[in-house]
Amino acid sequence: MRPLSSLAWRSLVSRPLRAALTLLAVALGVALLVAVLVASATLDASLERAALQLVGRADLEVRSFGARGFLDASLRQIAAAPEVALAAPAVRKRVFYRHGDHQGFVELIGLDPPGARQLSGYTMGEGVFLPDESLHSVMVLATWARARGLQAGDYLELMSYQGLQPFQIVGLLDDAGLGETGYGQVVYVSLRAAQALFNLGNRAERVAVQLRPGATPADLEARLRDTLPQDFQVVPAAERTRTLRESAAALQRSLRVFGLLPLLVGAFFVLNSFLLSIVERVRELALLRIAGATPRQIVRLVLAEALLIGILGSVAGTALGVVLAVGLVRLLEVTGELRLLAWQVPPAVLVVGPAAGTLATLLASLPAALRAAQVPPLEGLRPAGPRGSLGLARPPLRWAAAGLAAVALLLAASLLLPAWRGLAAAALLLLFASTLALTSALLMAMGHFLQRLGGRLPAVAALSARNLERNRQRAAITLGALVVSFALTVGVGGLAASATAIGRERAEALFAGAYAVISPVAQPAAIAADFAGLPEVGQVSPIRRLQALRDREIVDVVALEPAVYAAQPARGPAARAWRQALATLAQARAGVLVPQRLAAAWGVRPGQRISLRATDRTIELVVVGVVSPVFPSDDDRGAAVISWATLEAWTGEDDWHYLNVLPAPGADGRFEQRLSEVAALYGLQAVSTDQIAGAIQRSLGRVLGLVQAMLCVGVIIAALAILNTMLLNVYDRRREIGLLRATGMLPRQVAALVLVEAGSLGLLAALVGSALGLCLGAITLRLAESPELPAPYVFPSGALLAVGAAGLLLVPATCVYPALRAARLNIVQALGHER
């Protein structure tokens, strides 16, 4: 094996540019994979630390329902239970804050300082923990404080029931748990201060509990069921940490899937590079065979070259990936998807990255190694040897045609039979395979098409068109990676545009009109009447959120005026379905709209009855519709919807959290500004559906931007593959280029010949990739569609323009070097070149 290793090394050194390009492709693929794995591990570590800080030393949390909370008697019963070693009550409320030019809403958490000090997992960054009896002391997170120029000893104003009051910051906490802090927007006060100054009464909403040795959450829950006179829920610490981890699971899966793409595209590059290398080395391989090398030894020689490239590229890519991970994690922080609480580079990633890169390189080079072993010794010694004739066996066109026919049948079945919708995924995979099998025929068709234009094309373009028909296998393999990259770019672009449109419809579905007033806490009906009395306001309609119990399961419920919603025009199919469901709810007595996932979990259908309990009252409701979730919930299953009349009959309350505001006819363009000014006087926030839709679009854009960045790396690697192919094409055609120069072709015309050929490849890749991408987006959206959630496909014009620009500009730009190399060929040396 040692002589073969020496030959492998010399072969790589003799072709430094191709070896460098192949190393770069492997390194980029491994780098992005390592960056994604490190970012995912950092997210896991941050969530682990957040979970520890969120739960602390508590074993569980006892939560109450409704505005009543746990009164003093209930708190004493919980603390006195034999299973309880330590109990720390807490209460929460959204309040308005102001400091200098900074203002907004924060989550106020009232803690029992002695219990919190013993149970919490928070660590002090500066200052001291909350004093036991202080009324005007607060703790905030260090990062939140620094962003607003605050430090220990400074004051900020909080909206108490007596108006804005100053509170002194006595301590800065290290970043706390993600689930509790709302990414830093939290202020801690003592429980006594929360109850006395923020109109929270003599109550607490939840109690963190540390159990005695041997006690279990089930034991405590059973005891409290017998003693507490109100509804509650016991939430083990493990459940809280599991929910926190699930919040980031979808993001991690997406990053890992798309993080593999550049490595797969790099594998296409390696396959192409080794096939081209074997074409160049036909004479060398033939001499080795004559000298006694067996086919098995030839295979080992090529694999040894691949092993060297895989190891070197993977090691370099791993180092680069760790650097890229820093930027990726920081970007996730900026987008709000991650708060960096712990940096983590697992040793396993430093092994997995190089191993994956090396293995992908070996597997990609294996077909080329097998083809090298089949080089006939005598045929390879001919002066005009079979250069350009080696490659992978082309699948018969009838296979591709059969595949496309099967795609049509699978799609038809998935469209006509909803139960067979999963066939669309199989159709998508088969569509990719069939299209890639057609690339060779498409190259010939494009060459014929360009030649048919005849005199309309310059001579250089006509020559480039004919060149497309030569070495079609080589070009087809090169095109494969670029087609896949372009297809995914257009597909993701279409999904992003469609998701944005659906998000806008959802934003419009949240409110009956174009404007709404949002309150952090329940507001009395009198304030709604004040807004209704404004000169340019035509109508107001309240919305209230509450939590209820179905058996022992928490259910989020939203109450609204369904008739007001149903009377407003709908702008899309999803909005129309929502308006129709609300019209049905408006006609029903004690009806409820149940989100799809809740209905599936409960096994209920329209016409059936369900029982819900809140504020110590139980109500029987009739399911009048199963709808897609419009209002979010804590468990991501969506909130059930009832009418405002049902809420008042059930709870006797008329407080609201959101207020639909419909302008009167003739309201001018300054209505939104005046509404915001009035809302600010009450410490509330006025928003429009355009603002909500914009926020959804920005959130989608930030996450999908990461995916698009990964796809761009794949496009760059695929463009480098075309550079590799064009270099070999120039090498193959040295004699032909010399003849063209000798007959009068100028150097700039030779360069144009190469660039036009590269541009033709880029154009073909853009056309095929765009068509595949449109199918990818439409089929994927079809898989997610439901009768309650129509998912119209939005044409991704921006992504198509980007792909077209990449095909016509980026691909030729990467081939400037081979074009210059062709233009500078010496005529005499080129004519003496052996084909």
Side-chain angles (χ1 to χ4, degrees), residues 486-723:
F486 282 168
L488 289 174
T489 300
V490 173
V492 171
L495 291 175
S498 301
T500 300
I502 294 169
R504 176 171 288 277
E505 286 194 4
R506 282 286 168 248
E508 293 168 352
L510 285 172
F511 303 118
Y515 303 98
V517 175
I518 299 176
S519 171
V521 295
Q523 298 289 349
I527 294 181
D530 291 346
F531 279 98
L534 296 177
E536 293 182 312
V537 172
Q539 187 178 8
V540 298
S541 174
I543 305 175
R544 169 72 181 270
R545 296 188 66 96
L546 69 153
Q547 285 192 323
L549 285 175
R550 185 176 186 268
D551 296 328
R552 296 186 180 180
E553 182 180 1
I554 300 176
V555 183
D556 288 288
V557 179
V558 168
L560 47 76
E561 292 280 9
V564 175
Y565 277 80
Q568 303 305 312
R571 301 185 187 180
R576 284 194 292 272
W578 171 237
R579 298 287 196 268
Q580 291 170 0
L582 288 172
T584 304
L585 180 64
Q587 300 298 321
R589 183 179 179 181
V592 61
L593 298 176
V594 182
Q596 293 168 307
R597 293 183 63 186
L598 271 182
W602 295 346
V604 298
R605 299 185 303 275
Q608 294 183 326
R609 291 181 173 271
I610 61 173
S611 295
L612 297 180
R613 180 174 176 81
T615 61
D616 299 330
R617 300 181 184 180
T618 301
I619 188 172
E620 289 281 335
L621 299 173
V622 178
V623 179
V624 297
V626 176
V627 297
S628 60
V630 172
F631 292 92
S633 64
D634 291 340
D635 59 6
D636 295 327
R637 295 189 296 183
V641 179
I642 61 174
S643 68
W644 194 257
T646 300
L647 171 72
E648 292 180 323
W650 179 12
T651 65
E653 300 174 351
D654 59 2
D655 295 347
W656 53 272
H657 292 102
Y658 311 97
L659 194 67
N660 289 302
V661 180
L662 283 67
D668 59 29
R670 297 187 65 250
F671 175 80
E672 183 176 349
Q673 179 182 348
R674 286 193 288 269
L675 181 64
S676 297
E677 292 171 353
V678 174
L681 295 176
Y682 290 93
L684 308 177
Q685 182 181 10
V687 298
S688 67
T689 52
D690 289 338
Q691 290 174 320
I692 297 175
I696 294 173
Q697 185 173 358
R698 288 190 296 272
S699 177
L700 285 170
R702 287 193 295 263
V703 176
L704 291 173
L706 297 176
V707 174
Q708 294 286 12
M710 297 177 188
L711 295 177
C712 284
V713 175
V715 170
I716 291 172
I717 296 174
L720 291 177
I722 291 186
L723 166 62

Side-chain angles (χ1 to χ4, degrees), residues 203-225:
R203 65 181 180 85
E205 293 177 344
R206 56 189 68 195
V207 182
V209 173
Q210 186 181 56
L211 296 173
R212 295 186 183 277
T216 66
D219 295 336
L220 178 61
E221 182 175 8
R223 184 176 299 278
L224 295 181
R225 293 289 174 201

Side-chain angles (χ1 to χ4, degrees), residues 6-22:
S6 176
L7 283 174
W9 177 254
R10 285 201 296 270
S11 176
L12 293 177
V13 173
S14 66
R15 296 169 180 82
L17 181 59
R18 176 164 301 139
L21 290 175
T22 309

